[in-house]
Amino acid sequence: EAGVAQSPRYKIIEKRQSVAFWCNPISGHATLYWYQQILGQGPKLLIQFQNNGVVDDSQLPKDRFSAERLKGVDSTLKIQPAKLEDSAVYLCASSHTGRASYEQYFGPGTRLTVT
Amino acid sequence: AQRVTQPEKLLSVFKGAPVELKCNYSYSGSPELFWYVQYSRQRLQLLLRHISRESIKGFTADLNKGETSFHLKKPFAQEEDSAMYYCALTKAAGNKLTFGGGTRVLVKP
């Protein structure tokens, strides 16, 4: 099966600009996750979707970050306006539902640099 | 709150030597524990999970609920084991993963 796709792979922007990331999960995976991985740290969940509904967005900085998964398939994550501390790798992951959902499949990530 | 701690940032061992990566967790309940691995220029991928009680690529991990630890071990390290390793936990299937900070393993020839 094709893996999780993400684009772009790299992005450099200036602070206060906006940026958007795209993710296409593995076909048939109902659950989609966005993680933020700051250099030297493990990934941290930003938001989780089940189909097109939000399951967990408790750690999403909602004043500047937004995400949507309108048709329950692909998803976009937006930052507006960006801050220096948003420099990180943004990982998208997907999983099945039920007991098979223990395993999450990760995309290659988008490396964001905010200058 | 759930927390995962990996005390070693870097482990450097010689080929054929044993390697042990430490992972300690805090969680008020019975979480499921995992080890994920990221090889150079590859995606983060599942290595093994406690519920499967399996050995993958020669690695095993023992869950010690008393010490709240889930250390990863391999008796004879190989050069291809060089990678970043992340310990993670989840409270249930379909829930978020909480990751530790990661341990970089370097296996020298």
Side-chain angles (χ1 to χ4, degrees):
Chain A
E1 59 185 1
V4 176
Q6 289 188 249
S7 67
R9 293 295 310 279
Y10 305 92
K11 190 74 176 178
I12 300 174
I13 62 172
E14 296 181 351
K15 60 184 179 184
R16 291 186 290 273
Q17 287 187 322
S18 62
V19 65
F21 312 128
W22 175 82
C23 171
N24 192 31
I26 293 172
S27 178
H29 281 192
T31 308
L32 185 148
Y33 311 81
W34 282 102
Y35 290 88
Q36 179 193 56
Q37 185 173 19
I38 293 172
L39 186 64
Q41 300 180 18
K44 182 187 78 172
L45 182 77
L46 290 174
I47 189 167
Q48 176 185 346
F49 293 93
Q50 174 120 0
N51 297 308
N52 60 352
V54 175
V55 174
D56 184 350
D57 64 355
S58 58
Q59 297 191 82
L60 185 74
K62 298 181 185 64
D63 58 333
R64 297 184 302 105
F65 286 65
S66 64
E68 61 183 13
R69 193 184 184 200
L70 293 176
K71 296 181 179 179
V73 181
D74 57 348
S75 174
T76 57
L77 176 70
K78 298 179 181 178
I79 308 174
Q80 181 178 14
K83 293 186 175 181
L84 295 176
E85 58 261 36
D86 298 332
S87 294
V89 175
Y90 291 84
L91 295 168
C92 180
S94 69
S95 69
H96 287 290
T97 54
R99 289 197 63 80
S101 63
Y102 274 119
E103 182 168 0
Q104 295 183 19
Y105 296 81
F106 285 82
T110 296
R111 183 176 298 276
L112 174 67
T113 302
V114 182
T115 62
Chain B
Q2 48 201 37
R3 185 181 181 92
V4 178
T5 303
Q6 295 178 248
E8 304 120 339
K9 287 291 187 186
L10 173 66
L11 277 180
S12 183
V13 300
F14 285 102
K15 176 182 174 181
V19 62
E20 180 179 29
L21 289 74
K22 291 184 169 50
C23 171
N24 293 92
Y25 67 91
S26 61
Y27 182 72
S28 55
S30 296
E32 295 299 336
L33 278 298
F34 306 84
W35 279 96
Y36 275 76
V37 62
Q38 188 167 25
Y39 301 102
S40 179
R41 297 186 182 87
Q42 293 189 28
R43 306 173 181 212
L44 191 61
Q45 59 186 286
L46 179 66
L47 178 63
L48 59 79
R49 49 191 156 182
H50 166 250
I51 53 173
S52 298
R53 304 186 193 283
E54 56 198 350
S55 173
I56 301 293
K57 298 183 179 181
F59 285 96
T60 58
D62 294 321
L63 177 61
N64 186 322
K65 292 185 178 181
E67 296 183 358
T68 59
S69 67
F70 188 56
H71 303 329
L72 183 69
K73 302 177 185 179
K74 184 170 183 176
F76 307 103
Q78 302 300 312
E79 290 183 67
E80 55 265 31
D81 297 327
S82 295
M84 278 294 297
Y85 292 80
Y86 295 93
C87 183
L89 69 77
T90 185
K91 65 178 182 181
N95 280 261
K96 69 176 183 182
L97 290 168
T98 297
F99 287 89
T103 298
R104 180 172 297 281
V105 172
L106 176 62
V107 181
K108 297 177 286 187

